[in-house]
Amino acid sequence: MSLITQYGPHLPFLRRYARALTGTQASGDAYIRASLEALGKDPSLLSESSSPRVTLYRFFHAIWATTGAKLEAAGTAGTFPPEMRLAVLTPLRRQAFLLTSLEGFNRPEACEILGVSISELETLIDEAHQEIEKQLATNVLIIEDEPIIAADLANLVEDLGHTFAGNAVTRRQAVDMARKIKPGLILCDVQLADNSSGIDAVQDILADFDLPVIFITAFPERLLTGERPEPTYLITKPFQDDTVKAAISQALFFHAKTVHEPS
């Protein structure tokens, strides 16, 4: 079986993970390129794990550990943005958190990827939660045309201590509500009630505001094509509560640190 056949289906999701881990698409893709270049030169670097997906993620983490600081420095011209400084100082905590909450790996798989014990993993996850909980609460706009899903998301938002600011079901309604309430975060479906696009709604909103967006869709591969700027935070329907909570925490964490950093 060729490498492309075996590992190709997992690459779009590894790219999503890399972007969430680093906080930017450019930095995340830089790690992916470094990984693929190393693999192309020496396929024997891949060490078989419990599954092809675990194998790929474990290899990616080996590249992260050996080339990460160099890639970050090269991409920032000698100065580290806040999210890059965090990547250097506390990588394992965020890796453990993202692997289990955002990527859906079970505990043994995450341990295999990171090379840690179950107890070490649990400690890392707990510490990551403590870091993320330092975020300031914000108001959240939900763009979702399914009432039950919208209600579930609103409950998750409030469970995290944020304010549910409203739910829009069309592109126009979403833009109007955003201009009125000035949200700090958006959770957005792709296909809306009047066949308008959540992607278009977000583009309209981001023309006026600088805020993080999490897309929630049944077809994530449509947004992970590499043909245009891709969302850093993308969740597949049906979603797990912990996955949404993890994405919210990470999105606010990276964005808040970037926006509020003193100049």
Side-chain angles (χ1 to χ4, degrees):
M1 183 181 296
S2 70
L3 291 176
I4 293 177
T5 300
Q6 192 170 13
Y7 300 107
H10 306 296
L11 280 176
F13 302 98
L14 181 63
R15 293 182 66 226
R16 174 188 66 182
Y17 170 71
R19 287 192 298 277
L21 186 65
T22 63
T24 68
Q25 181 172 327
S27 182
D29 283 350
Y31 287 109
I32 296 297
R33 285 194 298 272
S35 299
L36 295 179
E37 288 171 1
L39 185 58
K41 293 178 181 178
D42 187 2
S44 67
L45 291 173
L46 280 176
S47 177
E48 289 298 326
S49 303
S50 58
S51 72
R53 186 168 180 244
V54 169
T55 298
L56 186 63
Y57 276 68
R58 189 168 74 172
F59 177 73
F60 170 80
H61 275 285
I63 297 299
W64 164 277
T66 57
T67 68
K70 184 182 298 184
L71 284 174
E72 287 158 5
T76 56
T79 60
F80 287 167
E83 66 272 23
M84 293 297 98
R85 288 201 298 271
L86 180 64
V88 173
L89 295 174
T90 59
L92 277 176
R93 292 177 183 176
R94 272 181 308 112
Q95 290 165 4
F97 181 75
L98 286 169
L99 287 171
T100 55
S101 297
L102 192 62
E103 294 301 309
F105 286 103
N106 60 37
R107 294 308 200 250
E109 288 172 334
C111 288
E112 190 174 358
I113 291 169
L114 296 178
V116 299
S117 67
I118 289 288
S119 62
E120 290 171 330
L121 180 70
E122 295 295 349
T123 297
L124 290 169
I125 293 172
D126 289 343
E127 291 172 346
H129 276 287
Q130 292 173 17
E131 288 184 356
I132 292 169
E133 286 171 359
K134 296 176 182 178
Q135 293 308 305
L136 294 177
T138 190
N139 56 335
V140 181
L141 172 63
I142 296 173
I143 307 174
E144 170 61 63
D145 63 341
E146 293 289 340
I148 294 177
I149 296 177
D152 286 343
L153 292 173
N155 288 333
L156 291 177
V157 163
E158 292 179 339
D159 285 346
L160 289 174
H162 304 297
T163 300
F164 166 53
N167 179 57
V169 299
T170 68
R171 174 185 179 182
R172 173 46 53 193
Q173 186 182 27
V175 174
D176 290 344
M177 290 182 67
R179 288 172 178 167
K180 180 179 180 180
I181 65 179
K182 298 179 175 59
L185 171 72
I186 291 176
L187 305 182
C188 186
D189 191 7
V190 171
Q191 186 67 43
L192 302 179
D194 59 352
N195 290 321
S196 59
S197 168
I199 299 173
D200 291 338
V202 164
Q203 289 177 338
D204 291 343
I205 294 168
L206 292 181
D208 296 329
F209 303 102
D210 176 21
L211 74 164
V213 177
I214 300 171
F215 281 98
I216 303 177
T217 175
F219 306 99
E221 63 276 5
R222 295 181 182 178
L223 294 174
L224 296 172
T225 63
E227 297 175 356
R228 59 185 176 185
E230 301 169 355
T232 298
Y233 302 99
L234 179 61
I235 296 173
T236 304
K237 291 181 178 178
F239 54 79
Q240 298 293 321
D241 290 359
D242 286 346
T243 300
V244 177
K245 290 180 178 180
I248 290 173
S249 296
Q250 286 288 317
L252 289 173
F253 183 79
F254 282 120
H255 194 81
K257 292 298 185 183
T258 301
V259 171
H260 299 299
E261 181 76 1
S263 59

